[in-house]
Amino acid sequence: MSPPLPRDPIADAQRNWESHGWSDVAAPMAAITAIMRTQQILLARIEGALRPFGLTFARYELLALLSFARSGALPMNKASALLQVHPTSVTNAVDRLQTAGLVVRSPHPTDGRTTLIELTAEGRTLAKRATAVLNAEVFGQSGFGDEDVNQLIRILGDFRRGAGDFTD
Amino acid sequence: MSPPLPRDPIADAQRNWESHGWSDVAAPMAAITAIMRTQQILLARIEGALRPFGLTFARYELLALLSFARSGALPMNKASALLQVHPTSVTNAVDRLQTAGLVVRSPHPTDGRTTLIELTAEGRTLAKRATAVLNAEVFGQSGFGDEDVNQLIRILGDFRRGAGDFTD
DNA sequence: GCAATATACTAGGACATCCAACGGTTTGGA
DNA sequence: TCCAAACCGTTGGATGTCCTAGTATATTGC
């Protein structure tokens, strides 16, 4: 951990934007930059909590998604759509999870094109243990106030809907 | 662009958390996951706007930072601290910017350990043009309401201060 | 029924990030 | 004064993401 800076670099950037005649977009610039930095901080916390399990965030998300599917199995394209990541990223994650014995690939019974990803028993127990740690160490100590959490869910939900993630 | 999902996958995840007895951390989980996804969307927009200039977001941030330094030059460790990224990331970015003729490395006049990064004339003009495009295409059309922007700046500012980014 | 189109996954390359480790430089305490 | 500790930037290795292209399978239209 490097020591804290004496001043908020994003607030400084916002002031720089304003003094250069870009006042109309200075605030959105600051908000977007803050989102970038916040994501970086949160990702580091999450990956730190998952490291003892040999998981990354991408692989954990896939495990968690499978653990919520009633059958414990999903087609790869479905996983790609629900996680909002590129199909190649799913392929990469499945490769490593399969090597670790946490999931297995199996052919789709009727559609020869699609591949099913299925949780193994070890995968299911590891997902449960990893979720418990994430809940305790990250989500339970997020640093956001309760009301701020609700604001974030609403603001970012509006944004994601507007960006075409979903229609609700 | 894949078509929008019929339902918000993050809201579904929040419901799954609640139905599994993790109601106390379901909301922060949803907020944090939403930040992850929002960052992904915004990063894709930014990189799309910068691609015509041959810049990535990391390289643009460095160019912009240098353009605001009065002398147009900064030590690498200073840039690393202000951008909140690892020194190796700065090394990587400087390598590519220098190859593109946008910055040059120069030795520090008094401290033999440190290297100064300095904007070239082309680097300065490219930074200005790229900023204009980012302002017009990304920051000016963020999709966040004015009041939401202010909320984000405050909420994420509080979070970053609490995470040790700065003391203000 | 067969060709054309669409869909699903894989392969290889480009980038960025982090970590661990390594020489070169500076600083501060013995 | 001198040597150990701290600091600075770079290198190499591992991960993850995206993109383009290619291969195999399904579906559609004539």
Side-chain angles (χ1 to χ4, degrees), chain A residues 26 44 48 115 133:
Chain A
T115 302
V133 170

Side-chain angles (χ1 to χ4, degrees), chain B residues 46-63:
Chain B
I46 291 171
E47 303 249 302
L50 292 177
R51 188 156 304 125
F53 300 100
L55 291 176
T56 63
F57 186 45
R59 296 180 223 167
Y60 167 77
E61 277 193 301
L62 187 51
L63 277 190

Side-chain angles (χ1 to χ4, degrees), chain B residues 1-81:
Chain B
M1 273 290 192
S2 38
L5 294 166
R7 301 156 53 74
D8 178 359
I10 294 180
D12 283 347
Q14 185 173 356
R15 278 186 283 271
N16 278 329
W17 244 248
E18 288 165 352
S19 66
H20 279 72
W22 308 317
S23 297
D24 51 331
V25 295
M29 182 282 300
I32 288 172
T33 306
I35 289 171
M36 297 287 166
R37 173 59 185 154
T38 300
Q39 187 267 354
Q40 193 179 21
I41 295 169
L42 290 170
L43 183 61
R45 290 187 190 175
I46 291 171
E47 303 249 302
L50 292 177
R51 188 156 304 125
F53 300 100
L55 291 176
T56 63
F57 186 45
R59 296 180 223 167
Y60 167 77
E61 277 193 301
L62 187 51
L63 277 190
L65 182 64
L66 290 173
S67 74
F68 288 126
R70 288 285 165 277
S71 61
L74 278 178
M76 294 196 61
N77 64 331
K78 197 88 174 172
S80 171

Side-chain angles (χ1 to χ4, degrees), chain A residues 56 58-59 85-86 88-89 92 96 111-113:
Chain A
T56 64
R59 296 182 223 164
V85 296
H86 213 266
T88 54
S89 298
N92 184 311
R96 298 172 190 281
D111 190 334
R113 296 173 298 182

Side-chain angles (χ1 to χ4, degrees), chain A residues 124-149:
Chain A
R124 189 175 291 279
T125 55
L126 193 69
K128 220 171 192 60
R129 289 199 296 135
T131 298
V133 170
L134 273 188
N135 283 340
E137 297 184 3
V138 181
F139 301 143
Q141 306 178 37
S142 68
F144 293 119
D146 287 350
E147 188 45 43
D148 288 351
V149 164

